[in-house]
Structures are given as C-alpha cells and as structure tokens.
Amino acid sequence: MDQRYDFLRAELPVRIEDLVDSSGMRPPHPSRTPDASLRIGWVCSPPGPGSGGHTTLFRMVEEAEQRGHECTLLLYDRNSDDVARHEPVIRRYWPNIRAGIRSATGAIGGMHALVASSWGTAHVVARRAPSAVNCFYFIQDYEPYFYPRGALYALAEDTYRFGFTNIALGEMVASRLQSELGITADATVPFGCDTSTYKLLRRDSAPRAGIVYYAKRSVDRRGYLLAKLALEIFHLQHPDQEIHIFGDTVSDWNIPVTNHGSLRPSELNALYNRTIASVALSFTNISLVAEELMAAGNVPVMNDHPFPRADLSTTAAIWVPATPAGIAHGLSEAVSAADIEGRARHLAESVRRTWRLPSVLVSQEIERICRTPANEFALPPTAEAAP
C-alpha cells in the first residue's frame, strides 16, 4: 500500500487501487441464462479457523452446491495474489464445501454470478467484475457501524449504492439500509442456528456451573471491555462460579479465568452444556453465538437494544443495560435461579430454526436474477411513450 495511506493500513480491508466510487460506476449489463446449473463466484477474505462470518457464507455455498451449481471461492488477500496457503484452512475447517479456490485478483470472468460478502469485497467486485456478470451482495451486518463516522464509514456505506442485488441477513440489516440510506433490500433472509451441533447433551450427575464468554479483543462491537469489567464485578459477587474464556486467550485480568483458546464446535457445545450462562454482547447485528448458547441450554446475557432484538426477540435470554453493573446483575440472576436445569431445557426447546431456510432463499434469489429474461427488468413505458 502507498505510504501516504499507512494510517489506514491496519483497518482498510481493500487495496487503494480497488476502491470504487458509486457515483462513477457504469450501469451493468448483466446477462441471463436458462441453464439449470450456474457458475457462482463467492468473493471473501481469507478465513481463519472458527470465523463466524465465513461459516455463515459457506453454508450458503454448500446449499448452492447441493442445488447443482458450480461454486468457486474467490479469496481477496489485500497483501498477496497467492492464496494457495489459505486452502488447507478452508478444507480442514469447512470440509463440506467442494468449491474451487482461487484469487479474486486474477481473471474472474466466466461466472454467471459474483457474490460479495463484505464491504471490502464489494469494492473488489465493483472494480473487477465483467459488466455482463450478475453481482450480488450478501450483507451480514451493517458494516459502516464498525467504524467512527469518517473515511472508512463512508467507503463501507457507499457499497450499498453499487447497484448489486442486496441480500440482507436479518431484519437489523434490512432496517438499517432503509433508515440510513433509503435502500430497500432486494431480499431479506432470516437467521438460522446450527442445531445439529448445538443441542442439549445427556446430563451426568454434575450440575451446571460457571459462566462462559467468547472474547474478541479487536472487535469492539462485541463489547470486550464491558464484558471484562462486568465479569470482574460478577466474580466478587460469586467467587465460586468458574469463568471460562474461549476465542482470545486473556492474561491481563485481575480475576481467575480458565482460558480455552480456540475450540471446535463440538467442544463448544460441550462447554455450553456444562455452564449456566454467558455474556453475549452485540452492538450491531446479532452474534451467532447467542442462539447457539440457547440451543445448548445456556442463558445468554445480552445488551438490551433494538439491533440484537431485531433478529432474536426472545424472553428466554436475559436482556440488560449495556453497563458493567447491568451485565453482572444479569449473570447473577442466571446463576441464582431456582431451576437451572428446567430453564436449560426451555431454552433449548425455544430454538427451532436452522440454516436450511436462509440458505435456500439465498440460492433462490441468485437463481431468480440470473435466469430472469433481461426485458423483465425494463421500466414500463411512460404515459407519453405508451402506444
């Protein structure tokens, strides 16, 4: 990256030369196909083990493959055109997808559809996609909110004006597009939950005990500092309750914690099943962790705000003010409840949805756009021009 932009290096997910201004974009001329099988390119950043956003995207890829479409993962690495080193991670942690893997910075023609999966990759698609390709944007969060209002906020926000077919994951995203920009999502698909992995396990004689927390220091929208301060208060009130940390390993806390590091989904489910409650904060779109916890009978303590409530409006969770004391009080309420096991069963029974419906809806929207005759998208004639 040009040294003039070193101050952006840590946060800008796209090369300067791949940034696009919506006001200067040419109208696309997408082609339509009657073919049963589509060639779909899914553009994403290289994933790390356990990435929730990639896991959700790859569920969409898997469904498209099951419907007979030929899928390719087009990895956009800001620092390198060689993405071969990322393939072993994908094959190990997401073994169900068969998609080919190549760089998004190479030739990306020959596709019926390209699907951007983040604001950075939306710029890449806008810059590099052939004009005849149908462009989609699978929007998992309202990403301008990841930043203070400034350059990065504006660059993320502008991607929603690119003219792609916008597919919103959940009502929070759809409502933000409408209220912030006056843009109606072309399709809105609901959240799901991996209930094949996250579920109640057969209980032994040991009762549930302790608290679990997914720590992500670098992702402020997940409220790391608030959670840390809250758990310190909670420990003073309930020193007998073990505090389990997974995700980032923490070493600078003033209270005892048990670090688990990165865990596989089955290991997470086992941890959720033996603990009582959790801190599950989100200041933008809802975290996948919240409903996965519920499916395992663990009570999520969540910040009470319209954004997370938009896609998980449940009385089974404990909704609290986003303050250290408020979060600590919610955890205290959870561990002090009279019938912890009964509530765990109720929590698990309240989770009914899976990822099947949203993944089918995403594929159907791609199929609809790619197969619709182009003349069906033409505006009707005006009264003056009508015969």
Side-chain angles (χ1 to χ4, degrees):
M1 185 181 292
D2 192 313
Q3 290 183 351
R4 292 173 297 171
Y5 303 102
D6 279 347
F7 69 99
L8 286 175
R9 184 182 297 273
E11 293 190 86
L12 186 66
V14 64
R15 303 174 192 179
I16 291 289
E17 62 267 26
D18 281 324
L19 290 172
V20 173
D21 183 335
S22 66
S23 65
M25 291 178 63
R26 296 178 179 178
H29 300 283
S31 61
R32 312 299 177 201
T33 177
D35 296 347
S37 177
L38 301 174
R39 295 185 297 276
I40 308 173
W42 305 79
V43 187
C44 63
S45 60
S51 169
H54 287 90
T55 297
T56 300
L57 178 69
F58 293 165
R59 288 186 176 111
M60 308 302 118
V61 176
E62 186 177 350
E63 173 62 29
E65 290 181 329
Q66 291 174 356
R67 296 169 76 88
H69 303 308
E70 179 185 340
C71 293
T72 302
L73 300 183
L74 297 169
L75 302 185
Y76 183 78
D77 188 329
R78 187 188 66 178
N79 300 308
S80 174
D81 293 333
D82 181 6
V83 299
R85 68 188 186 282
H86 301 299
E87 183 164 358
V89 174
I90 295 171
R91 300 303 183 200
R92 177 180 178 184
Y93 290 96
W94 293 276
N96 292 332
I97 58 173
R98 305 183 303 275
I101 299 171
R102 64 179 200 248
S103 175
T105 59
I108 58 175
M111 302 285 177
H112 295 111
L114 289 172
V115 185
S117 59
S118 63
W119 79 262
T121 60
H123 279 274
V124 174
V125 171
R127 172 67 68 192
R128 296 173 178 268
S131 62
V133 174
N134 297 280
C135 296
F136 298 82
Y137 193 173
F138 181 53
I139 309 171
Q140 298 192 50
D141 209 332
Y142 193 76
E143 294 187 63
Y145 286 167
F146 293 4
Y147 312 101
R149 288 187 180 268
L152 294 174
Y153 185 105
L155 290 167
E157 182 181 63
D158 199 36
T159 59
Y160 307 129
R161 305 186 187 98
F162 284 174
F164 299 169
T165 298
N166 290 325
I167 303 174
L169 178 61
E171 294 299 327
M172 181 270 176
V173 168
S175 68
R176 292 302 92 199
L177 289 172
Q178 185 64 55
S179 64
E180 294 280 1
L181 300 173
I183 292 174
T184 301
D186 296 281
T188 301
V189 303
F191 269 82
C193 183
D194 182 7
T195 51
S196 63
T197 299
Y198 299 98
K199 55 191 174 183
L200 285 182
L201 300 176
R202 185 183 297 276
R203 300 291 301 155
D204 55 23
S205 57
R208 287 177 180 262
I211 298 296
V212 63
Y213 171 56
Y214 178 37
K216 292 290 289 183
R217 295 187 184 202
S218 62
V219 183
D220 191 47
R221 66 184 182 276
R222 300 307 187 208
Y224 173 81
L225 179 58
L226 282 175
K228 178 179 182 292
L229 296 173
L231 287 167
E232 289 173 350
I233 295 171
F234 172 78
H235 175 71
L236 294 176
Q237 299 168 340
H238 300 274
D240 56 317
Q241 295 289 342
E242 187 175 6
I243 296 172
H244 301 268
I245 308 290
F246 73 97
D248 291 346
T249 298
V250 303
S251 59
D252 57 347
W253 289 32
N254 297 321
I255 60 173
V257 299
T258 301
N259 279 298
H260 294 271
S262 179
L263 296 175
R264 293 181 177 275
S266 61
E267 296 170 327
L268 282 176
N269 186 55
L271 180 60
Y272 296 168
N273 266 268
R274 65 187 178 91
T275 48
I276 299 171
S278 53
V279 181
L281 307 178
S282 180
F283 291 88
T284 56
N285 212 357
I286 189 72
S287 167
L288 301 182
V289 170
E291 202 160 6
E292 292 167 353
L293 288 156
M294 291 172 57
N298 187 296
V299 187
V301 174
M302 306 177 67
N303 54 302
D304 195 353
H305 189 274
F307 290 175
R309 277 190 179 271
D311 292 292
L312 190 63
S313 182
T314 176
T315 58
I318 295 177
W319 298 92
V320 299
T323 66
I327 298 163
H329 179 77
L331 292 170
S332 181
E333 176 187 333
V335 301
S336 303
D339 185 9
I340 289 173
E341 295 298 338
R343 185 181 54 191
R345 290 190 295 272
H346 172 70
L347 280 164
E349 290 168 0
S350 71
V351 179
R352 297 295 186 187
R353 58 189 180 183
T354 70
W355 282 105
R356 173 66 175 163
L357 176 60
S359 61
V360 166
L361 292 175
V362 168
S363 281
Q364 287 179 341
E365 182 68 4
I366 294 172
E367 292 163 358
R368 182 183 73 83
I369 296 296
C370 290
R371 293 172 179 166
T372 300
N375 59 9
E376 290 190 17
F377 286 85
L379 294 175
T382 63
E384 292 79 6

